[in-house]
Amino acid sequence: MKNGLTQKTALLFTCLLLLVACNKNSSNSTNSISNPTTQIGTSDAIPIGIAFAETSNVALLGQEGTDGVKIAQKYFNGKGGVNGTPIKLVYQDTAGDEVGAINAFQALINQSKVVGIIGPTLSQQAFSADPIAERNQVPVIGASNTAKGIPEIGNYVARVSSSVAVVAPYAVKAALKQNPQIKRVAVFYAQNDAFNRSETEIFQNTVKDLKLNLVTVQKFQTTDTDFQTQGSNAINLKPDLAIISGLAVDGGNLVKQLRELGYKGIIIGGNGFNTSHIFSVCRALCDGVIVAQAYSTEYPNEINKAFHQAYVKQYHKEPSQVSAQSFAALQVYVEALQSLDRQHKINSFTIPQLRIELNKELLRRKYQTPLGEIAFTPVGDVIQKEFYVAQLKMEPNGVNGRFAYLNIK
């Protein structure tokens, strides 16, 4: 009996030792990134989430955002990252709808344990996904979200993409400068997209404020390819100016079909036209389209020169507004992290603590970016001084084009 008891006691003791060893090994294998309550180690790269569209009809715009953050990652890591610690980008595809953006945010926050997020691609997606970041106290910076109300989603939501309310009126005033005889205006917009609904409201109000005659408002979907009905309805009312709020593919096709139907007046494209991808959609018929912009390749500060040079070398084309804004978004995170680390080593924060302190720091600073000097309002909206208007100029082959800047002073 005694020997049996001794054997059982020894067996129990052995099991306890194994259990302790397993727990210890499990604890050691959990690094600072996978456990939200631990610190970022001194040798760990700092993870920042990138939530852009890699698939769907929004992928062209998402790709421009991705191009911008890749240039920024290489640039800032080449300068030592965050005081010696590199930045790591973690990508999630938002696709083109709200569900895709929600899934991307949840994966970045709960699985990848990022300290902040750049994205999503569309304002429509931001209204659904940004509240998830807000609830989890994870800072998010929109690089292409210009609809009214984005920063007001919450304390952890900011953007480096200027509100359409600020940018859009410049395009209408530029059109009037080219043709002071403009009186009649036709407006087209994608009704299934929050940004385009917000943008067209600004355009329509600008038209009315300038005492122009809004002769028609035509609706379409971002997934449409046939605009013959809307185009014919508008042309029959003899407009002097057409204003389109859409994305690159649908907007470009609408431009093309308006010209094919015989419309010869000035066309203004909204923020969705701020991409070189539109050249391949409307090709030669893109020529002359006016677009207001929050970025110029010619802005004369050092970081824009470095960004422009690196972008052209990498991608063999001029950077778009979205690429520049995405670069600026990552710059904001890097410089805020650098500043925070100088005050209090960031590897001493837990992940939740770092997210909170990072959000405070990024909102209080000023940044010299490719967009010029920017800062943030208390609610997280970007404060930007310089804006531009460009006109699409197509080469004789009808394939290649460029944005030629107009004098709007």
Side-chain angles (χ1 to χ4, degrees):
M1 178 71 69
K2 184 176 180 180
N3 288 340
L5 182 61
T6 301
Q7 290 174 351
K8 288 180 180 180
T9 301
L11 181 60
L12 178 61
F13 181 71
T14 301
C15 289
L16 286 171
L17 287 176
L18 289 172
L19 182 60
V20 169
C22 288
N23 285 337
K24 183 177 180 180
N25 289 338
S26 176
S27 176
N28 288 340
S29 66
T30 303
N31 63 31
S32 60
I33 303 306
S34 62
N35 187 343
T37 62
T38 60
Q39 291 80 20
I40 291 180
T42 55
S43 61
D44 292 326
I46 302 171
I48 295 176
I50 307 299
F52 288 146
E54 299 172 14
T55 56
S56 81
N57 63 322
V58 190
L60 292 179
L61 189 60
Q63 183 59 54
E64 293 196 337
T66 299
D67 291 345
V69 293
K70 285 182 176 179
I71 294 293
Q73 180 189 28
K74 184 176 181 180
Y75 176 82
F76 289 107
N77 278 348
K79 290 182 171 295
V82 178
N83 305 331
T85 303
I87 291 293
K88 176 178 70 173
L89 301 184
V90 184
Y91 295 89
Q92 283 289 337
D93 179 16
T94 64
D97 58 12
E98 293 89 331
V99 173
I102 289 169
N103 290 340
F105 270 50
Q106 288 175 335
L108 290 170
I109 293 168
N110 299 319
Q111 297 173 22
S112 301
K113 303 297 187 294
V114 298
V115 300
I117 297 173
I118 298 173
T121 300
L122 300 179
S123 295
Q124 179 91 7
Q125 295 174 314
F127 285 118
S128 296
D130 284 0
I132 296 171
E134 178 68 20
R135 288 194 297 272
N136 287 274
Q137 296 183 304
V138 178
V140 55
I141 299 178
S144 54
N145 304 147
T146 60
K148 180 181 179 181
I150 295 291
E152 289 77 13
I153 290 172
N155 295 328
Y156 288 82
V157 180
R159 64 180 172 191
V160 295
S161 42
S162 288
S163 168
V164 65
V166 176
V167 181
Y170 284 96
V172 182
K173 293 174 183 177
L176 284 169
K177 190 173 182 179
Q178 284 196 354
N179 180 11
Q181 303 306 312
I182 290 173
K183 300 295 182 186
R184 299 170 65 80
V185 182
V187 166
F188 304 79
Y189 77 95
Q191 62 181 331
N192 64 322
D193 180 77
F195 157 69
N196 287 302
R197 291 196 303 271
S198 176
E199 184 181 68
T200 194
E201 182 180 337
I202 302 302
F203 274 130
Q204 291 180 46
N205 287 337
T206 302
V207 167
K208 295 171 185 175
D209 291 343
L210 293 171
K211 309 302 181 185
L212 303 176
N213 183 12
L214 183 59
V215 296
T216 186
V217 176
Q218 298 287 324
K219 303 175 184 179
F220 60 91
Q221 305 283 325
T222 55
T223 52
D224 287 349
T225 57
D226 185 350
F227 304 94
Q228 298 291 311
T229 300
Q230 295 97 325
S232 297
N233 288 343
I235 289 173
N236 288 338
L237 296 171
K238 298 182 172 22
D240 309 305
L241 173 65
I243 302 176
I244 301 171
S245 291
L247 302 178
V249 175
D250 49 288
N253 276 316
L254 178 50
V255 168
K256 180 180 178 182
Q257 291 174 42
L258 279 173
R259 293 303 191 202
E260 290 171 345
L261 287 167
Y263 176 69
K264 298 186 184 302
I266 294 176
I267 297 176
I268 289 175
N271 196 51
F273 284 56
N274 272 316
T275 166
S276 60
H277 291 297
I278 199 168
F279 301 147
S280 63
V281 182
C282 46
R283 300 173 74 89
L285 298 179
C286 292
D287 197 68
V289 172
I290 292 174
V291 185
Q293 297 186 325
Y295 170 68
S296 169
T297 57
E298 299 172 5
Y299 188 78
N301 66 1
E302 289 304 314
I303 197 161
N304 188 37
K305 292 176 184 177
F307 164 66
H308 180 261
Q309 182 179 16
Y311 192 98
V312 172
K313 182 179 180 181
Q314 179 71 32
Y315 300 113
H316 310 291
K317 62 181 180 180
E318 294 290 304
S320 72
Q321 174 181 288
V322 171
S323 296
Q325 289 172 164
S326 299
F327 181 103
L330 188 58
Q331 179 183 349
V332 166
Y333 275 128
V334 171
E335 293 187 6
L337 284 163
Q338 289 171 340
S339 176
L340 191 60
D341 186 66
R342 287 191 291 268
Q343 300 169 45
H344 191 100
K345 289 298 181 183
I346 59 177
N347 60 17
S348 66
F349 290 113
T350 65
I351 298 296
Q353 288 172 339
L354 180 54
R355 290 165 170 171
I356 293 169
E357 295 304 316
L358 173 59
N359 190 64
K360 293 176 185 176
E361 188 66 20
L362 69 86
L363 289 175
R364 67 167 60 109
R365 296 181 57 79
K366 291 182 179 179
Y367 307 87
Q368 292 294 334
T369 74
L371 310 174
E373 181 181 287
I374 64 170
F376 295 99
T377 67
V379 297
D381 210 353
V382 67
I383 301 170
Q384 184 175 343
K385 299 177 180 178
E386 300 290 338
F387 297 97
Y388 314 90
V389 176
Q391 194 162 29
L392 276 60
K393 295 293 185 182
M394 301 303 296
E395 294 182 5
N397 61 15
V399 176
N400 301 317
R402 63 186 177 89
F403 290 94
Y405 297 100
L406 303 177
N407 182 10
I408 58 172
K409 303 297 184 184

